[in-house]
Amino acid sequence: MTKEKDLIIAKIKEQKKNPNLKLKLKERTEYFTNLLFYTLFDTDTEVEKNIDLLEKTFEDLIDLACWKTDKPCGKIWQSYLNTLPEIFKKLNKDAESFMQSDPAANSIEEVYLAYPGFYAIAIYRLSHELFKFGLPLIPRLMTEYAHRLTGTDINPGATIGESFFIDHATGIVIGETAIIKNNVKIYQGVTLGGLYVDRKLRSVKRHPTVENNVTIYANATILGGNTVIGANSTVGGNAWVTSSVPENSIISNTSEIKIKKVI
């Protein structure tokens, strides 16, 4: 039995060829993400104490994530810390958008505590700044953590303006090169994706642009890097859009309704 066990162990070790695949990085990133959220929003959390803890945790992440010498992983904590007040300001505007848009929202506290769409936006905004610094893997792990908790998949590379509202959250996909401007509302099941998947498109804008004051209803699919949804437009539920539409448009997926005759 020992020889058989040793053989199995040897075969497993033979397949473990990636020296940088450390699951501890994923676990520490999730811990760091929770710390950030508590630091910004929890009334009982001591900000000063948590800032020091965040810095120590961030240093651990740098040690785990930055295995390539050509990656810009130097001392970026202070630069990131400087962005937190502005991120917090944007998130408060997002929360206000939830209050103004959803009649079911009874208080601002309910938005912060109970809305998966707000949580997804919060982790996106916190990860997006790290993405801009060129920090490898950590921003993606942060948004994938939020994805798992909320059902909303926002790539940290996406560019999203102020007062963003996501209702219900489940099934939303926002690609890496998507651009969403101010006062946009998105409902469940919406996809802002690419026309097709090809590794050659890695450095190409392949996801849509959504201009100011656009509303996109449930299960609409908008594809393509050249696709622009003009300002003040409404995209109806289940619509399929692969080309640009001018401002003030209404895009709908019409269906024929027949009334059956009862004999």
Side-chain angles (χ1 to χ4, degrees), residues 29-45:
T29 298
E30 293 175 2
Y31 174 68
F32 176 74
T33 302
N34 286 327
L35 273 180
L36 276 171
F37 196 83
Y38 269 74
T39 302
L40 294 182
F41 296 110
D42 182 53
T43 303
D44 294 332
T45 294

Side-chain angles (χ1 to χ4, degrees), residues 29 127-128 130-131 135-144 156:
T29 298
S127 66
H128 179 65
L130 290 175
F131 179 89
L135 190 63
L137 195 52
I138 292 170
R140 186 61 184 270
L141 288 174
M142 291 173 70
T143 54
E144 283 304 315

Side-chain angles (χ1 to χ4, degrees), residues 35-55 77 81 84-85 88:
L35 273 180
L36 276 171
F37 196 83
Y38 269 74
T39 302
L40 294 182
F41 296 110
D42 182 53
T43 303
D44 294 332
T45 294
E46 297 179 25
V47 175
E48 297 86 351
K49 180 180 177 181
N50 258 39
I51 290 296
D52 292 338
L53 186 55
L54 280 165
E55 181 175 8
W77 168 250
L81 185 62
L84 289 184
F88 196 13

Side-chain angles (χ1 to χ4, degrees), residues 49-259:
K49 180 180 177 181
N50 258 39
I51 290 296
D52 292 338
L53 186 55
L54 280 165
E55 181 175 8
K56 176 63 174 67
T57 306
F58 190 76
E59 290 173 356
D60 293 343
L61 293 179
I62 291 293
D63 290 340
L64 289 167
C66 298
W67 58 82
K68 291 184 179 180
T69 57
D70 61 338
K71 293 291 183 183
C73 291
K75 295 285 185 179
I76 65 173
W77 168 250
Q78 187 59 48
S79 296
Y80 180 63
L81 185 62
N82 291 341
T83 70
L84 289 184
E86 184 61 27
I87 294 172
F88 196 13
K89 183 178 179 181
K90 287 181 179 179
L91 287 172
N92 283 329
K93 287 184 178 180
D94 295 326
E96 287 295 335
S97 179
F98 277 70
M99 285 296 297
Q100 294 168 11
S101 301
D102 187 1
N106 298 304
S107 67
I108 197 72
E109 289 83 3
E110 183 178 354
V111 172
Y112 291 127
L113 290 170
Y115 276 63
F118 177 77
Y119 185 80
I121 294 169
I123 304 311
Y124 154 76
R125 293 206 186 280
L126 291 166
S127 66
H128 179 65
E129 290 301 320
L130 290 175
F131 179 89
K132 286 160 62 176
F133 285 124
L135 190 63
L137 195 52
I138 292 170
R140 186 61 184 270
L141 288 174
M142 291 173 70
T143 54
E144 283 304 315
Y145 178 51
H147 182 194
R148 188 168 79 241
L149 293 176
T150 67
T152 299
D153 184 1
I154 308 177
N155 190 288
T159 302
I160 300 177
E162 296 184 350
S163 300
F164 186 39
F165 171 67
I166 288 177
D167 199 18
H168 300 296
T170 307
I172 289 173
V173 177
I174 300 173
E176 179 185 26
T177 62
I179 298 174
I180 299 173
K181 298 193 178 178
N182 300 326
N183 303 308
V184 171
K185 298 177 176 62
I186 291 182
Y187 290 77
Q188 71 271 18
V190 167
T191 296
L192 302 180
L195 282 169
Y196 61 96
V197 178
D198 191 317
R199 187 67 179 174
K200 296 179 201 176
L201 299 175
R202 180 169 171 75
S203 57
V204 175
K205 187 181 185 306
R206 55 196 184 276
H207 304 104
T209 296
V210 179
E211 298 285 352
N212 295 333
N213 308 313
V214 169
T215 298
I216 307 174
Y217 284 105
N219 300 312
T221 298
I222 305 172
L223 306 177
N226 295 322
T227 301
V228 178
I229 305 300
N232 310 309
S233 293
T234 299
V235 181
N238 298 304
W240 181 274
V241 183
T242 58
S243 59
S244 297
V245 297
E247 61 183 33
N248 302 310
S249 297
I250 297 177
I251 304 100
S252 62
N253 177 29
T254 58
S255 58
E256 185 180 3
I257 299 175
K258 294 183 178 180
I259 308 299

